[in-house]
Amino acid sequence: MTLAELLARPFGTVPDMIGFAASQRPEHPALILNAHTLSYAQLDALIARVASSLQRDGFGPGDKIAACAGTSLEYVALFLGALRAGAVMTPLPPTATPQNLNGMLANSGARILFQDRACALNWSTDALVDQGLQRIWIDETQGPDSWGAWLSNETQPSPVDTQPDWAFNLIYSSGTTGTPKGIVQPCSMRWSHVQRAATNGYGPDSVTLTSTPLYSNTTLVALLPTLALGGTGILMSKFDARRYLELAQQHRTTHTMLVPVQYQRILDDPEFDRFDLSAFQAKFSTSAPFSAALKAEVLKRWPGRL
């Protein structure tokens, strides 16, 4: 079956599409973060190990998996592995207050929480409501509660027949105007994003640069279709305008998703015009008002559609 035939189906899943990409171009880079690269074969195998680990621990369709951590290759694999097991990913913002984090965890019904040490510093573990959560340190390879100890070597999880109306993820609103509220997004919506991405030039040779956090829908809207269609996702742990420009030039970035203030900071870099951004095909923006003047400047100075 070809990629076009897969996309023409009424429904498909992101993990299955990654499996297809791994079968077609196993050595093609799927994810790049700093000096670390995961090929499609490596990513697909890691997704399978995550799914197997979750199934071993009794997680399956409809069960909630929570994560509160910074951007990492493990985080992406966790997200996709949860989906392969039929579970629902619940990414939580590391900057949440202990009170809001307690509320989101309790509301989600998650039974396992993946954390990293840096994010744990932002709130006291003692302040978390004791909900009988299993906790895994996603940034550690040793110790009884580490990612390395938790992760199974089994690469053949039990198959799951994911349905379009199943929950894909549970994302919480920022809470800037009140208590954060959970937003359930179904698998059918994410599949429509993948199909629509193909019409925006995403494909096996796409290179998408994302610099927003993995708990944000802003990131997922760009990263998930890139991986589903066999392209390469470039991740940034933290946004920096100059570093963004360096990565865009180095990797010949074709697509990106940014919020308006990031466009402004990138264009304000005094060295902006010396970077080769000619590979860009399409740029996207969301999450905040985008002034007409800034749009005009982006279109004038930055190649590719907006």
Side-chain angles (χ1 to χ4, degrees):
M1 186 173 288
T2 66
L3 179 60
E5 289 171 333
L6 288 173
L7 287 172
R9 296 177 302 170
F11 177 67
T13 73
V14 174
D16 283 352
M17 294 294 286
I18 290 173
F20 174 78
S23 72
Q24 300 299 300
R25 295 198 296 176
E27 300 307 316
H28 189 69
L31 290 168
I32 299 174
L33 174 60
N34 300 323
H36 303 286
T37 300
L38 279 182
S39 69
Y40 268 92
Q42 292 171 324
L43 177 60
D44 189 52
L46 188 53
I47 291 169
R49 293 176 65 191
V50 170
S52 295
S53 303
L54 291 170
Q55 291 177 340
R56 175 202 64 208
D57 293 349
F59 292 90
D63 291 324
K64 308 301 191 303
I65 311 299
C68 190
T71 298
S72 68
L73 299 179
E74 292 81 6
Y75 195 150
V76 179
L78 171 66
F79 202 124
L80 297 166
L83 294 171
R84 186 166 285 183
V88 184
M89 193 63 191
T90 305
L92 303 175
T95 54
T97 65
Q99 179 180 358
N100 279 346
L101 184 63
N102 288 344
M104 288 184 282
L105 283 171
N107 179 263
S108 72
R111 294 187 289 115
I112 187 169
L113 172 64
F114 292 82
Q115 302 172 274
D116 64 21
R117 293 293 182 181
C119 292
L121 295 174
N122 293 331
W123 31 264
S124 169
T125 301
D126 296 335
L128 296 175
V129 174
D130 182 7
Q131 300 176 51
L133 286 169
Q134 180 183 1
R135 296 183 185 177
I136 304 297
W137 295 105
I138 198 171
D139 58 340
E140 296 183 3
T141 57
Q142 297 180 342
D145 297 324
S146 68
W147 173 262
W150 174 82
L151 191 63
S152 168
N153 288 322
E154 175 59 57
T155 58
Q156 295 294 328
S158 300
V160 174
D161 185 19
T162 303
Q163 298 299 304
D165 61 347
W166 286 9
F168 184 102
N169 55 246
L170 173 60
I171 291 183
Y172 282 84
S173 63
S174 64
T176 54
T177 57
T179 303
K181 298 174 179 63
I183 303 164
V184 178
Q185 296 170 317
C187 293
S188 58
M189 184 207 75
R190 292 298 186 190
W191 179 244
S192 72
H193 283 179
V194 172
Q195 292 176 311
R196 187 162 62 247
T199 69
N200 281 318
Y202 285 91
D205 296 321
S206 296
V207 179
T208 299
L209 178 53
T210 56
S211 57
T212 44
L214 289 171
Y215 68 80
S216 169
N217 192 54
T218 298
T219 306
L220 299 177
V221 164
L223 181 62
L224 292 172
T226 299
L227 296 175
L229 296 174
T232 300
I234 312 296
L235 305 172
M236 294 184 70
S237 301
K238 182 179 180 181
F239 174 72
D240 174 83
R242 178 63 59 84
R243 183 60 182 151
Y244 177 95
L245 288 166
E246 291 170 348
L247 289 170
Q249 176 175 270
Q250 175 187 349
H251 295 289
R252 300 290 294 166
T253 295
T254 61
H255 293 74
T256 197
M257 171 71 83
L258 297 162
V259 298
V261 67
Q262 291 177 307
Y263 280 104
Q264 187 66 69
R265 290 177 182 174
I266 291 168
L267 288 168
D268 285 346
D269 188 294
E271 298 295 319
F272 175 85
D273 293 313
R274 77 170 177 84
F275 285 93
D276 180 4
L277 306 180
S278 59
F280 270 95
Q281 298 176 21
K283 303 175 296 297
F284 301 89
S285 183
T286 185
S287 303
F290 202 145
S291 73
L294 180 56
K295 289 177 185 176
E297 188 176 5
V298 171
L299 290 170
K300 178 181 178 182
R301 299 175 59 196
W302 195 330
R305 297 185 297 113
L306 174 64

